[in-house]
Amino acid sequence: MKKLLQAFESKTPEIVFEWQDAETEARGWVVINSLRGGAAGGGTRMRKGLDRHEVESLAKTMEVKFSVSGPAIGGAKSGIDFDPADPRKLDVLKRWYKAVAPLLKHYYGTGGDLNVDEVHEVIPITESYGLWHPQEGVVNGHFQPSTSERIQKVGQLRLGVAKIIEDSRYTPDHGRKYTVADMITGWGVAEAVHHYYNIYGGEVQGKRVIVQGWGNVGSAAAYYLAQQGAKIVGIIDRAGGLLVPEGLSFEQVRELFHNKQGNQLAAEGLLSFEEVQARIWDMEAEIFLPCAASRLVTQDQLDRLIDRGLEVVSCGANVPFNDPEIFYGKVYEYLDSRISVLPDFIANCGMARVFAFLMNNNVEISDEAIFSDVTSTVRNALALTHAQSSARTGIASTAFEIALKQLV
């Protein structure tokens, strides 16, 4: 596996597009690792301090993810070095998408990512520059469709991604409007845990969960696990956190989901970030969901969780461990050798899988069809990994080997 990984990591990306905003200090990059299958895909993220190396790493991560989610295309990523809390954010995004629109028309597809919203920012801005959908480049480059096929595939994308969820099994509340894009990545992270216990033995009911990050991914994953009977005992977010050893009720988790302030946790009795950071890693929990930014989780934090009974990590964030390596550094390898790690390219493949599903011909666009398809994709990937090795350790390295054999 490591030889395959080294060969894949060391390959120079095919295309790097660099941008400097004329009106602010914002800088941006599109990195296309390869045009495998005639196209490449990957979301757009924004954060202060982001650099080209981070974007390159994530582009390679996306290529591995497509080996699970489909379609069989190359990995890419867009990244903008700018403070997402700056009131000039929307104008920066408008100038960014104007600059990259030609790529998005012909061979690159994007979506939302960290601090960039799929439905409220990416889709309307790209539409204003003449794109039918931000995944249009994948449709054109990979499928090379006829005009009627293009209209059908893009129409399905437009309808499915922004679809309001109506089925009570998948939405936190019938009285509020949540889209597929709001919920689907967290759904996949939670379903990865569900299928892990189903395949490797055990059940979610009664398991204690710690969540890092309360944005769309972390809050949705917590909601779906609580729905299955898990107990959310700790939440750590940049705004602070909560420590509840007895576990939050399902209704309390749903309320926290509704009360998010943007992508931040908001609650009465919120503890400071410093206090939560000092205490949460010593709580008893079987499940850990790292769903915040990349490369945050340290070996010391993981050791403390393992000492208190940690069984499985489902990676909601891309590359959540504090390693300099692109994929599988010392911290990741150490953790993989001690407990079960469900890698990001399986656990958080939900949005990529929705895009792939909606690009098929004549699909059923319903809540059940979309959510069930993501569930099946995650389950199949974990079942394939289990078939190669039934051990509860080394899951990530086995999954990497299966994926990389398709790419190298």
Side-chain angles (χ1 to χ4, degrees):
M1 187 277 287
K2 287 188 176 180
K3 288 183 179 179
L4 290 169
L5 200 58
Q6 185 177 18
F8 184 70
E9 286 186 354
S10 61
K11 182 184 175 185
T12 302
E14 283 189 28
I15 299 169
V16 179
F17 174 95
E18 188 166 357
W19 173 79
Q20 174 65 60
D21 188 21
E23 298 185 30
T24 70
E25 66 277 18
R27 301 181 303 155
W29 298 266
V30 177
V31 176
I32 293 175
N33 189 58
S34 81
L35 286 174
R36 172 179 177 245
T44 303
R45 67 170 42 193
M46 177 186 284
R47 73 172 185 86
K48 190 172 178 61
L50 178 145
D51 60 17
R52 172 176 162 169
H53 175 71
E54 180 177 337
V55 185
E56 287 188 10
S57 299
L58 292 166
K60 289 183 180 293
T61 300
M62 286 305 304
E63 191 146 329
V64 176
K65 186 178 293 185
F66 286 129
S67 73
V68 172
S69 70
I73 59 172
K77 204 74 177 180
S78 290
I80 303 169
D81 174 15
F82 191 69
D83 182 358
D86 192 300
R88 301 172 292 173
K89 175 191 178 184
L90 186 60
D91 289 330
V92 168
L93 284 173
K94 287 178 179 178
R95 291 189 291 273
W96 164 259
Y97 283 120
K98 185 176 183 180
V100 302
L103 282 67
L104 292 168
K105 188 70 176 176
H106 296 289
Y107 53 76
Y108 169 47
T110 196
D113 197 75
L114 184 70
N115 299 317
V116 178
D117 188 87
E118 171 86 20
V119 174
H120 299 105
E121 293 173 328
V122 183
I123 290 175
I125 294 173
T126 53
E127 278 186 350
S128 74
Y129 295 121
L131 286 160
W132 292 355
H133 190 272
Q135 289 287 316
E136 187 179 347
V138 174
V139 173
N140 291 331
H142 178 63
F143 294 96
Q144 298 182 359
S146 66
T147 300
S148 61
E149 288 172 335
R150 181 186 299 111
I151 291 170
Q152 181 192 68
K153 291 179 187 296
V154 173
Q156 290 174 172
L157 285 163
R158 287 169 65 96
L159 183 60
V161 173
K163 184 186 182 302
I164 300 297
I165 303 169
E166 299 167 313
D167 191 320
S168 60
R169 292 173 294 175
Y170 308 116
T171 181
D173 194 326
H174 257 329
R176 300 183 64 172
K177 294 180 179 180
Y178 294 102
T179 67
V180 168
D182 289 332
M183 304 299 297
I184 201 69
T185 305
W187 166 258
V189 173
E191 285 296 281
V193 175
H194 168 74
H195 292 310
Y196 161 76
Y197 281 113
N198 183 257
I199 294 168
Y200 288 83
E203 60 180 26
V204 171
Q205 176 79 30
K207 291 289 194 296
R208 294 163 294 187
V209 184
I210 290 173
V211 185
Q212 182 187 45
W214 200 249
N216 275 0
V217 179
S219 60
Y223 168 79
Y224 290 124
L225 284 176
Q227 189 180 55
Q228 295 180 44
K231 297 178 180 179
I232 311 303
V233 298
I235 302 168
I236 182 167
D237 193 47
R238 58 189 174 185
L242 295 171
L243 305 176
V244 188
E246 69 276 15
L248 296 163
S249 70
F250 174 60
E251 290 301 326
Q252 287 174 314
V253 174
R254 180 159 63 178
E255 194 68 19
L256 289 171
F257 184 94
H258 288 323
N259 290 342
K260 282 184 297 182
Q261 298 295 316
N263 267 344
Q264 290 192 10
L265 178 67
E268 288 186 18
L270 202 65
L271 302 174
S272 71
F273 174 82
E274 291 73 21
E275 182 176 357
V276 177
Q277 178 80 330
R279 295 171 54 194
I280 196 168
W281 311 109
D282 297 308
M283 295 188 72
E284 294 182 348
E286 291 79 27
I287 300 166
F288 174 46
L289 309 179
C291 300
S294 302
R295 306 187 188 278
L296 291 181
V297 187
T298 68
Q299 183 168 322
D300 174 68
Q301 291 164 350
L302 294 165
D303 272 333
R304 289 158 67 184
L305 289 174
I306 292 169
D307 288 344
R308 303 296 283 172
L310 187 66
E311 295 176 350
V312 60
V313 176
S314 186
C315 298
N318 287 317
V319 199
F321 310 115
N322 186 223
D323 285 315
E325 291 84 0
I326 292 176
F327 291 111
Y328 195 77
K330 291 181 180 179
V331 175
Y332 201 154
E333 183 175 10
Y334 169 78
L335 183 65
D336 195 32
S337 71
R338 294 201 61 187
I339 63 168
S340 300
V341 185
L342 313 181
D344 53 9
F345 60 91
I346 294 176
N348 75 8
C349 77
M351 196 70 244
R353 180 57 207 168
V354 170
F355 289 144
F357 173 75
L358 294 171
M359 290 181 201
N360 290 324
N361 293 326
N362 299 310
V363 296
E364 176 189 332
I365 302 179
S366 68
D367 297 336
E368 181 172 5
I370 293 170
F371 280 76
S372 295
D373 179 75
V374 169
T375 292
S376 297
T377 300
V378 171
R379 179 179 173 79
N380 289 344
L382 289 176
L384 191 62
T385 304
H386 181 265
Q388 187 152 320
S389 170
S390 61
R392 288 178 180 261
T393 57
I395 291 173
S397 62
T398 302
F400 269 120
E401 183 175 350
I402 292 168
L404 290 166
K405 282 180 177 177
Q406 301 176 53
L407 304 175
V408 177

